[in-house]
Amino acid sequence: MHVTRGFTGRPRVPDPGLPPGQYDAGDTWPVLSAEVTPESSPADWTFRIDGLVAAPRTWTWQEVDELPASAYEGAIHCVTSWSKFGVRFGGVSLDVFLDAVRPAESATHVVAYSHTGYTTNLPLADLTGGRAWIAREYDGRPLDPEHGGPARLLVPHLYFWKSAKWIAGIRVLDHDEPGFWEQNGYHDRGDPWEEQRYAGD
Ligand SMILES: Nc1nc2c(c(=O)[nH]1)N[C@H]1C(S)=C(S)[C@@H](COP(=O)(O)O)O[C@H]1N2
Ligand SMILES: [Mo]
């Protein structure tokens, strides 16, 4: 009997963990950087939250060591269409930092910025509820410099461009202020499940 190829084997059902238009990059982890990887060590790294907060503050690496650590295990989704499953980041939840600085009632958005000058904007709500981290470890090891080490923002429920590498700080605002990619045609929020890739999607 003749069997047409393509009708045998596993049906091509999309992976339920894969957002629309994404593919599984498997074990690879592409590096996407607009900047040259900076030389930055834990000794000179700092993280600041200011803007519309009651108690603006800067943390050193050692001060972050004192905060309760938590992990993210799951997937990340890049707008260039690769997704990576089974990633394991260690860090500190943004909830811990935001509780310390106390955002004003009027606060609605943030701009996250890197030590290199990269910026990305997010609704403040996307940084709360145990969904965002200052990540310092990957697979139990220090985060590689090319992946944003010593520390990066990690917001895995949004496209990965929101996860600013070499994170330096977060400015809390009462309005939305588009960041680097958002000023260059990318979507303001970037929800991979809604396929919010470009402005207007
Ligand atoms: N500082 C900085 N952060 C950044 C970027 C960048 O160019 N500079 N690229 C973003 C994009 S588009 C993606 S997909 C991820 C890539 O992270 P990776 O290189 O660890 O895969 O970082 C995001 N954060
Ligand atoms: Mo990306």
Side-chain angles (χ1 to χ4, degrees):
M1 183 183 104
H2 177 79
V3 178
T4 307
R5 246 184 327 159
F7 285 87
T8 57
R10 285 174 54 206
R12 298 179 87 236
V13 177
D15 185 328
L18 207 50
Q22 296 291 110
Y23 72 91
D24 184 346
D27 288 336
T28 64
W29 185 2
V31 170
L32 283 107
S33 303
E35 319 92 301
V36 173
T37 297
E39 293 219 7
S40 172
S41 69
D44 51 44
W45 178 87
T46 55
F47 174 62
R48 177 167 177 80
I49 305 185
D50 61 16
L52 293 174
V53 297
R57 134 146 228 209
T58 302
W59 286 265
T60 65
W61 188 267
Q62 289 86 345
E63 287 167 338
V64 175
D65 282 340
E66 306 300 317
L67 301 175
S70 59
Y72 169 72
E73 293 193 39
I76 51 179
H77 309 290
C78 174
V79 72
T80 61
S81 81
W82 56 268
S83 290
K84 183 170 173 59
F85 290 88
V87 303
R88 197 156 60 91
F89 286 95
V92 174
S93 170
L94 251 299
D95 292 310
V96 173
F97 295 99
L98 290 168
D99 285 350
V101 298
R102 288 176 281 128
E105 286 289 326
S106 58
T108 57
H109 291 80
V110 307
V111 170
Y113 54 94
S114 300
H115 285 282
T116 49
Y118 181 89
T119 57
T120 187
N121 58 309
L122 301 113
L124 178 60
D126 277 317
L127 294 186
T128 63
R131 297 184 299 163
W133 289 261
I134 297 299
R136 307 194 298 169
E137 290 181 359
Y138 184 80
D139 255 349
R141 301 201 175 156
L143 186 61
D144 277 346
E146 61 185 6
H147 288 301
R152 77 181 298 160
L153 181 62
L154 174 68
V155 191
H157 70 283
L158 298 179
Y159 282 124
F160 210 32
W161 89 76
K162 297 288 183 179
S163 295
K165 305 199 278 191
W166 315 294
I167 187 74
I170 284 171
R171 190 150 300 133
V172 178
L173 307 169
D174 62 2
H175 61 277
D176 194 13
E177 221 170 87
F180 176 73
W181 285 117
E182 295 84 3
Q183 288 171 36
N184 284 285
Y186 284 83
H187 195 275
D188 197 61
R189 177 149 184 265
D191 181 344
W193 299 97
E194 300 291 332
E195 212 170 356
Q196 295 171 341
R197 297 178 192 275
Y198 308 106
D201 282 352

